[in-house]
Amino acid sequence: MAGQALTAVLVALLVTVCLIGLWATYTLRSAYDREAQHRTRAEVQLTAYRLAARFTAGQFITEPLTPDWLPSGLTMAVGIYDHLGQRRTVVVRNDPTGELALPDNLDVANSDREETRYLHGVWVLTVPLHKADGERLGHLHLLARHRQAQLSGVVLRVAYELPLWLVMGAAGLWLARSVFLSGRSSARSYANRPASVEFVMAGYQEVIDRLQSAGRELERLRTDAEHRALVQTEFSDRLIASIPDALVVVDEHGTTVLANLTAQRLFGRPPGIPFREFFADVPDLQNLVAAGLQDGSVRRQSDITVLIGGHQRTLEASVAPIPGAASVLCLIANITELAALRATAQARETLTSLGDMAAGIAHEFKNSLATMDGYARLLMQDVPDNPAARALRDEVRHLTQVVSDFLTFARPLRPVMAPVDLAGVVEEVVTLLREDFRRREVTLVLPESLPVIPGDAALLRRAFENLFRNALEAIPDDAPVREVRLRAITGPEDVTLLLEDSGTGFPPEVAANLFLPFFTTKKQGHGLGLAIVRKIIVSHNGRIEACNLPAGGAQFRISLPLRIGVEK
Ligand code: ADP
């Protein structure tokens, strides 16, 4: 700031010095010019008088003027005119270029008066000529220009004034610009900014910085926008890919512009082809899409049965227009499994009603059997050792058991859930079958502890009785190892009970039908035992599986949840 002020002061001083110099030059020059003018005038007048004197003395005609007679530094032309003002002769001319033009005639109205004029740097003198006796002869007309004064003036201007003007002009411009910039910056309240080139540079720098920062911001926004677009594209791609249903977009020209992987797999064709080609195997879908493209309405169709790739498929499709685009979106769900489940449920419903009917009939059977048993007992009262009556009673008892089991199997099971100590259930079953185990010399191995589970104690007891009885019956009389073993593996969610025997195990054809009602390989069996066991276990949200042991014998694996609500 101080440097700026000092520079300004120095420049102002320079301007002042220049101004003084110029003023001095002008003053001196005008004084010099005036003095030169006076001197020239005197010289010119003197020359004119001398010439006039010589002319009047009649000398000039015979004696031509010599150059040294003329004043140095003057260019001159002198002419003699008669009393009418007509030029007679030119007595002297020392301007080779002829710049001083002598007129051919003079206005001699004021013929007796001497006249001196200074016109555009040229002295013009008219002097009347008289003889000694006073007779007028004519006029002498003289034109003179000072050569040296003109040259010195030019030299002075070029060598001295012009540089001064240039210096002063440059300094003045610099000062004016500084004042203008400082005035402008103060008007903008940037009082502290330097009113200088640095300030201008700083201003430019600031503008450049702002432009650069705006550029960077724009770049950042562009990158952000690109990133967002990328993320959104990836997200929508993932979204489309994750849709489990087939998704197809058809544009207004009927081209499948988009088809997710499920759609490509289901219809076995890539996108980018006409929709009629894409849905070549499904005429119903073609019609649906065509109608959607035509009127832009939402359409749905369920249970579209088609043969795709040799497989029977059931599809459910919806076609809807995409807002803002002349395209339609088709969502096609493969409901083959659902349709199968629906069919199964329907069949189950039919079977249930059939089962209800059968249960009703079985109930009637049971009543009739009870009546028959009553009559057989009466017969035995009359004839105590009547073998026919005994056989009748045995058969009635067997049939009653079958009907009772069938009723258990056929009726819907509704277990009454309560905490059940499995150890207690197993203990009761073992107590019931102890005599049979003893009689058949089969060893029973039980786990040290069993958990308490939610369940129906009576139903569970019935299931385990069936399983233990089957295991006992599966061991032939001549089997070298005679053992039935129960093991328990308690996990965090459930308990797995493994009932193993050293019996015959079962061949594959038996294994496939174990749990089917009325499937039996026994002479006296009715094949409802395992069907009822599975129904009881399933009603407890459990699971039952059977397999042969590598060492021989069968293994039944029963899993039961430890808490209510946990499904197996
Ligand atoms: P039933 O005992 O009246 O035959 P089940 O439904 O209880 O009816 O049994 C069906 C069939 O499963 C039996 O006839 C038998 O062939 C087979 N089976 C059941 N348990 C065993 C087992 N522990 N070992 C071998 N086979 C078995």
Side-chain angles (χ1 to χ4, degrees), residues 51-189:
L51 278 171
R54 290 186 70 154
F55 180 79
T56 49
Q59 294 175 357
F60 68 93
I61 296 164
T62 51
E63 293 175 31
L65 290 174
T66 52
D68 59 315
W69 197 80
L70 292 171
S72 62
L74 279 180
T75 308
M76 198 174 274
V78 183
I80 303 298
Y81 294 78
D82 63 15
H83 65 283
L84 293 173
Q86 198 167 6
R87 195 179 73 202
R88 290 294 175 195
T89 182
V90 176
V91 292
V92 69
R93 178 182 282 280
N94 69 342
D95 61 328
T97 56
E99 58 177 329
L100 299 171
L102 285 167
D104 292 336
N105 290 296
L106 280 183
D107 178 15
V108 289
N110 302 315
S111 56
D112 283 338
R113 259 220 345 241
E114 181 191 319
E115 207 177 328
T116 306
R117 284 174 291 158
Y118 186 69
L119 291 169
H120 310 298
V122 176
W123 285 102
V124 181
L125 253 79
T126 308
V127 179
L129 299 172
H130 296 94
K131 283 185 182 172
D133 55 359
E135 185 193 351
R136 194 176 68 191
L137 290 172
H139 289 83
L140 178 143
H141 190 70
L142 180 148
L143 301 173
R145 180 193 289 279
H146 202 290
R147 236 185 285 149
Q148 280 175 351
Q150 195 182 11
L151 187 66
S152 70
V154 171
V155 170
L156 193 73
R157 279 209 174 119
V158 172
Y160 182 73
E161 282 181 27
L162 198 64
L164 275 183
W165 275 115
L166 286 174
V167 169
M168 204 178 68
L173 267 176
W174 187 89
L175 267 180
R177 199 182 61 170
S178 299
V179 169
F180 169 71
L181 286 177
S182 82
R184 203 171 61 168
S185 46
S186 67
R188 287 180 183 176
S189 305

Side-chain angles (χ1 to χ4, degrees), residues 177-235:
R177 199 182 61 170
S178 299
V179 169
F180 169 71
L181 286 177
S182 82
R184 203 171 61 168
S185 46
S186 67
R188 287 180 183 176
S189 305
Y190 290 118
N192 294 333
R193 298 281 170 91
S196 63
V197 175
E198 283 102 50
F199 168 69
V200 176
M201 290 308 292
Y204 282 142
Q205 192 57 47
E206 197 180 310
V207 171
I208 287 166
D209 286 351
R210 278 188 197 164
L211 280 174
Q212 280 179 344
S213 114
R216 279 195 296 274
E217 182 63 15
L218 272 175
E219 181 61 24
R220 193 184 63 74
L221 287 172
R222 192 184 65 79
T223 317
D224 276 8
E226 267 181 12
H227 180 68
R228 267 204 304 279
L230 203 70
V231 167
Q232 275 175 2
T233 310
E234 277 177 6
F235 177 72

Side-chain angles (χ1 to χ4, degrees), residues 362-363 365-366 369 398-408:
H363 193 70
F365 266 40
K366 222 176 156 186
L369 285 169
H398 177 68
L399 270 175
T400 307
Q401 184 61 45
V402 171
V403 171
S404 167
D405 282 352
F406 175 73
L407 279 174
T408 309

